[in-house]
PDB file of all heavy atoms in Angstrom:
ATOM      1  N   GLN U 121     112.336 101.744  77.954  1.00  0.00           N
ATOM      2  CA  GLN U 121     111.022 101.120  78.102  1.00  0.00           C
ATOM      3  C   GLN U 121     109.934 101.997  77.496  1.00  0.00           C
ATOM      4  O   GLN U 121     109.032 101.507  76.814  1.00  0.00           O
ATOM      5  CB  GLN U 121     110.731 100.854  79.585  1.00  0.00           C
ATOM      6  CG  GLN U 121     111.563  99.719  80.161  1.00  0.00           C
ATOM      7  CD  GLN U 121     111.015  98.362  79.771  1.00  0.00           C
ATOM      8  OE1 GLN U 121     109.900  98.027  80.109  1.00  0.00           O
ATOM      9  NE2 GLN U 121     111.803  97.583  79.047  1.00  0.00           N
ATOM     10  N   LEU U 126     106.255 103.326  73.037  1.00  0.00           N
ATOM     11  CA  LEU U 126     105.791 104.293  72.040  1.00  0.00           C
ATOM     12  C   LEU U 126     105.992 103.746  70.631  1.00  0.00           C
ATOM     13  O   LEU U 126     105.151 103.938  69.743  1.00  0.00           O
ATOM     14  CB  LEU U 126     106.536 105.622  72.188  1.00  0.00           C
ATOM     15  CG  LEU U 126     106.270 106.426  73.459  1.00  0.00           C
ATOM     16  CD1 LEU U 126     107.115 107.701  73.461  1.00  0.00           C
ATOM     17  CD2 LEU U 126     104.787 106.773  73.585  1.00  0.00           C
ATOM     18  N   ALA U 127     107.106 103.031  70.439  1.00  0.00           N
ATOM     19  CA  ALA U 127     107.423 102.523  69.101  1.00  0.00           C
ATOM     20  C   ALA U 127     106.369 101.525  68.613  1.00  0.00           C
ATOM     21  O   ALA U 127     106.179 101.368  67.408  1.00  0.00           O
ATOM     22  CB  ALA U 127     108.807 101.879  69.074  1.00  0.00           C
ATOM     23  N   HIS U 138     100.490 100.909  81.325  1.00  0.00           N
ATOM     24  CA  HIS U 138     100.740  99.467  81.179  1.00  0.00           C
ATOM     25  C   HIS U 138     102.198  99.068  81.363  1.00  0.00           C
ATOM     26  O   HIS U 138     102.491  97.932  81.711  1.00  0.00           O
ATOM     27  CB  HIS U 138     100.266  98.973  79.812  1.00  0.00           C
ATOM     28  CG  HIS U 138      98.787  99.137  79.593  1.00  0.00           C
ATOM     29  ND1 HIS U 138      97.852  98.373  80.259  1.00  0.00           N
ATOM     30  CD2 HIS U 138      98.085 100.001  78.824  1.00  0.00           C
ATOM     31  CE1 HIS U 138      96.637  98.757  79.885  1.00  0.00           C
ATOM     32  NE2 HIS U 138      96.758  99.749  79.019  1.00  0.00           N
ATOM     33  N   GLN U 143     105.866  98.750  86.727  1.00  0.00           N
ATOM     34  CA  GLN U 143     107.234  98.464  87.148  1.00  0.00           C
ATOM     35  C   GLN U 143     107.676  99.409  88.257  1.00  0.00           C
ATOM     36  O   GLN U 143     108.319  99.016  89.227  1.00  0.00           O
ATOM     37  CB  GLN U 143     108.193  98.626  85.972  1.00  0.00           C
ATOM     38  CG  GLN U 143     107.980  97.632  84.863  1.00  0.00           C
ATOM     39  CD  GLN U 143     109.021  97.824  83.769  1.00  0.00           C
ATOM     40  OE1 GLN U 143     110.211  97.725  84.007  1.00  0.00           O
ATOM     41  NE2 GLN U 143     108.574  98.114  82.561  1.00  0.00           N
ATOM     42  N   ARG U 220     110.261  87.328  87.359  1.00  0.00           N
ATOM     43  CA  ARG U 220     111.186  86.211  87.421  1.00  0.00           C
ATOM     44  C   ARG U 220     112.055  86.113  86.177  1.00  0.00           C
ATOM     45  O   ARG U 220     111.853  86.761  85.218  1.00  0.00           O
ATOM     46  CB  ARG U 220     110.381  84.922  87.592  1.00  0.00           C
ATOM     47  CG  ARG U 220     109.174  85.106  88.500  1.00  0.00           C
ATOM     48  CD  ARG U 220     109.174  84.187  89.646  1.00  0.00           C
ATOM     49  NE  ARG U 220     109.154  82.804  89.206  1.00  0.00           N
ATOM     50  CZ  ARG U 220     110.200  81.995  89.302  1.00  0.00           C
ATOM     51  NH1 ARG U 220     111.325  82.447  89.766  1.00  0.00           N
ATOM     52  NH2 ARG U 220     110.120  80.744  88.917  1.00  0.00           N
TER      53      ARG U 220
ATOM     54  N   ARG D  76     103.432 105.153  64.149  1.00  0.00           N
ATOM     55  CA  ARG D  76     104.399 104.227  64.763  1.00  0.00           C
ATOM     56  C   ARG D  76     103.859 102.805  64.813  1.00  0.00           C
ATOM     57  O   ARG D  76     104.616 101.850  64.761  1.00  0.00           O
ATOM     58  CB  ARG D  76     104.719 104.679  66.187  1.00  0.00           C
ATOM     59  CG  ARG D  76     105.563 105.928  66.255  1.00  0.00           C
ATOM     60  CD  ARG D  76     105.912 106.201  67.703  1.00  0.00           C
ATOM     61  NE  ARG D  76     106.513 107.510  67.852  1.00  0.00           N
ATOM     62  CZ  ARG D  76     106.057 108.440  68.672  1.00  0.00           C
ATOM     63  NH1 ARG D  76     105.000 108.191  69.423  1.00  0.00           N
ATOM     64  NH2 ARG D  76     106.657 109.602  68.754  1.00  0.00           N
ATOM     65  N   GLU D  87     114.600  95.725  75.285  1.00  0.00           N
ATOM     66  CA  GLU D  87     113.493  96.507  75.856  1.00  0.00           C
ATOM     67  C   GLU D  87     112.182  95.743  75.905  1.00  0.00           C
ATOM     68  O   GLU D  87     111.103  96.296  75.672  1.00  0.00           O
ATOM     69  CB  GLU D  87     113.293  97.849  75.125  1.00  0.00           C
ATOM     70  CG  GLU D  87     114.508  98.759  75.117  1.00  0.00           C
ATOM     71  CD  GLU D  87     114.974  99.196  76.495  1.00  0.00           C
ATOM     72  OE1 GLU D  87     114.228  99.002  77.498  1.00  0.00           O
ATOM     73  OE2 GLU D  87     116.091  99.737  76.586  1.00  0.00           O
ATOM     74  N   LEU D  88     112.260  94.457  76.219  1.00  0.00           N
ATOM     75  CA  LEU D  88     111.024  93.746  76.532  1.00  0.00           C
ATOM     76  C   LEU D  88     110.513  94.283  77.855  1.00  0.00           C
ATOM     77  O   LEU D  88     111.279  94.808  78.668  1.00  0.00           O
ATOM     78  CB  LEU D  88     111.292  92.244  76.631  1.00  0.00           C
ATOM     79  CG  LEU D  88     111.655  91.546  75.315  1.00  0.00           C
ATOM     80  CD1 LEU D  88     111.887  90.067  75.564  1.00  0.00           C
ATOM     81  CD2 LEU D  88     110.576  91.744  74.275  1.00  0.00           C
ATOM     82  N   PRO D  90     109.689  93.784  81.424  1.00  0.00           N
ATOM     83  CA  PRO D  90     110.116  92.699  82.322  1.00  0.00           C
ATOM     84  C   PRO D  90     108.996  92.144  83.194  1.00  0.00           C
ATOM     85  O   PRO D  90     109.101  91.031  83.678  1.00  0.00           O
ATOM     86  CB  PRO D  90     111.199  93.369  83.183  1.00  0.00           C
ATOM     87  CG  PRO D  90     110.928  94.817  83.088  1.00  0.00           C
ATOM     88  CD  PRO D  90     110.337  95.061  81.741  1.00  0.00           C
ATOM     89  N   HIS D  91     107.909  92.905  83.359  1.00  0.00           N
ATOM     90  CA  HIS D  91     106.844  92.436  84.245  1.00  0.00           C
ATOM     91  C   HIS D  91     105.799  91.612  83.504  1.00  0.00           C
ATOM     92  O   HIS D  91     104.779  91.250  84.088  1.00  0.00           O
ATOM     93  CB  HIS D  91     106.199  93.635  84.943  1.00  0.00           C
ATOM     94  CG  HIS D  91     105.616  94.645  83.997  1.00  0.00           C
ATOM     95  ND1 HIS D  91     106.349  95.273  83.025  1.00  0.00           N
ATOM     96  CD2 HIS D  91     104.359  95.128  83.871  1.00  0.00           C
ATOM     97  CE1 HIS D  91     105.578  96.099  82.345  1.00  0.00           C
ATOM     98  NE2 HIS D  91     104.358  96.035  82.835  1.00  0.00           N
ATOM     99  N   ALA D 135     113.341  87.805  81.920  1.00  0.00           N
ATOM    100  CA  ALA D 135     114.523  87.451  82.705  1.00  0.00           C
ATOM    101  C   ALA D 135     114.828  85.956  82.651  1.00  0.00           C
ATOM    102  O   ALA D 135     115.929  85.539  82.993  1.00  0.00           O
ATOM    103  CB  ALA D 135     114.359  87.908  84.149  1.00  0.00           C
TER     104      ALA D 135
END
Side-chain angles (χ1 to χ4, degrees):
Chain U
Q121 288 282 298
L126 293 179
H138 298 289
Q143 295 183 59
R220 322 237 300 108
Chain D
R76 288 185 190 125
E87 302 298 347
L88 292 180
H91 59 303

